[in-house]
Amino acid sequence: MKRYLSRLFALLLVVTIGLVGCSTPSGLTGKYSQDTLDVVASLRNAIELPNDAPEKATAQAAAKKKINDFAALYWRDSSLKNLRSFTTMRTALNALGSHYASYPNRPVPEKLKKRLEVEFKQIETAINQGA
């Protein structure tokens, strides 16, 4: 009886780990275009909030998580490497992620905000054009 229960438990554990490992991170759908636009919207929200806003820290934490989840899901996808939207998105995520990693308690500088806004517009244009 113990042997049967231990095998059943092991099987359930393997199935659970397999299902959790196959799920997409942070609610990303796996559809590149939609996920990219969602991440851009989230990052814009985190950047545009005033520094004294009470939800600023929450928005920045969500932005960091979205950056990491997006990178985990799409960075190694070789079919995306030639897309204009993907290369611009990587540039934007690297810039903002580096700022958050190096200066976690400082606001995003205006120069970086302007650059990111230009890149976000380029990303949205490229996605709408299918690139």
Side-chain angles (χ1 to χ4, degrees), residues 18-124:
L19 290 175
V20 170
C22 293
S23 65
T24 57
S26 178
L28 296 177
T29 63
K31 297 176 183 173
Y32 169 74
S33 299
Q34 184 59 44
D35 288 345
T36 302
L37 294 176
D38 290 344
V39 170
V40 166
S42 176
L43 296 179
R44 250 194 198 122
N45 180 41
I47 291 170
E48 291 175 355
L49 283 173
N51 294 330
D52 56 350
E55 64 273 6
K56 181 79 170 182
T58 306
Q60 283 184 340
K64 290 177 195 176
K65 181 152 178 41
K66 289 259 187 189
I67 290 170
N68 289 335
D69 292 341
F70 187 88
L73 188 59
Y74 293 112
W75 242 238
R76 294 183 183 200
D77 190 346
S78 60
S79 65
L80 301 173
K81 290 186 180 184
N82 293 329
L83 294 178
R84 199 172 57 230
S85 61
F86 183 70
T87 56
T88 308
M89 185 68 165
R90 280 182 70 159
T91 303
L93 294 181
N94 285 337
L96 189 57
S98 296
H99 174 77
Y100 283 152
S102 300
Y103 310 106
N105 298 325
R106 293 187 184 174
V108 178
E110 280 302 314
K111 184 176 180 180
L112 181 56
K113 282 183 185 181
K114 289 178 184 176
R115 177 181 149 202
L116 288 171
E117 187 54 40
V118 168
E119 289 175 348
F120 291 159
K121 286 180 182 177
Q122 289 174 349
I123 291 165
E124 290 168 338

